[in-house]
Amino acid sequence: MTKCFLFIYFISTMITGYGCSSSYDESGFTLGVGNYKFTMTDSTGNKLAEGKLVIKTYKNADISGIYEFTNIFQSDFRGLSAMDGDFSGTVNKAEKRVFINTNPRIADSNVFWNMDIKKSSLYGDWVYSMFRGTGNKGKVKIFK
């Protein structure tokens, strides 16, 4: 009787454990051609700007497209003047990382977005990079 009870207990525990395990793909936010929203904040979390990002091409790991600001909360943040509306970038699915260059035509004064692929968004850092070093930085989030 005890052996039978232990066997049933063991089987039910295994079934419960298996049933509670995650059966869906937790690969995260899916990025593809289409429209997205973004928010930029400063290093203390204050909103700087919001906008719309449109991925027009996604070939292999390379992405490109356009973006526009819909709300600018602080019009004097360093780096804003370097952002011209076109972007290019790369997606590293294996490392769950996305890099975006917000002005691919200029190399010495630019804002770069380095983000992680999260469950429902891309989230990471933005940095204003100049010839003389980093000028400003904060957080950026891209979402549907």
Side-chain angles (χ1 to χ4, degrees):
M1 175 79 171
T2 305
K3 288 182 182 181
C4 182
F5 175 76
L6 289 175
F7 179 74
I8 292 171
Y9 177 76
F10 175 76
I11 295 297
S12 64
T13 303
M14 295 299 290
I15 292 171
T16 302
Y18 181 77
C20 290
S21 68
S22 178
S23 61
Y24 62 92
D25 182 15
E26 291 187 22
S27 62
F29 185 71
T30 302
L31 190 67
V33 173
N35 299 327
Y36 300 88
K37 296 177 184 177
F38 70 87
T39 302
M40 294 177 69
T41 61
D42 65 16
S43 59
T44 62
N46 294 319
K47 271 190 185 180
L48 297 175
E50 295 176 329
K52 177 181 159 185
L53 180 116
V54 180
I55 297 177
K56 291 187 171 187
T57 61
Y58 187 156
K59 186 173 183 180
N60 299 322
D62 298 323
I63 57 173
S64 63
I66 59 172
Y67 63 93
E68 66 180 342
F69 292 101
T70 55
N71 287 311
I72 298 177
F73 301 101
Q74 293 183 28
S75 59
D76 61 345
F77 78 87
R78 292 187 62 183
L80 178 62
S81 62
M83 299 176 75
D84 79 337
D86 292 319
F87 76 88
S88 66
T90 56
V91 178
N92 185 329
K93 289 182 182 179
E95 294 181 13
K96 296 186 178 185
R97 302 274 302 155
V98 176
F99 168 80
I100 290 180
N101 177 343
T102 65
N103 191 347
R105 292 185 291 269
I106 297 176
D108 64 344
S109 177
N110 208 334
V111 176
F112 300 104
W113 296 353
N114 294 295
M115 299 164 291
D116 294 318
I117 300 172
K118 300 291 186 181
K119 192 170 186 175
S120 62
S121 66
L122 302 179
Y123 183 76
D125 300 313
W126 67 266
V127 62
Y128 175 44
S129 178
M130 303 176 297
F131 182 69
R132 295 178 295 199
T134 300
N136 206 4
K137 58 185 172 180
K139 297 292 184 184
V140 63
K141 179 179 181 179
I142 296 177
F143 52 97
K144 277 286 190 182

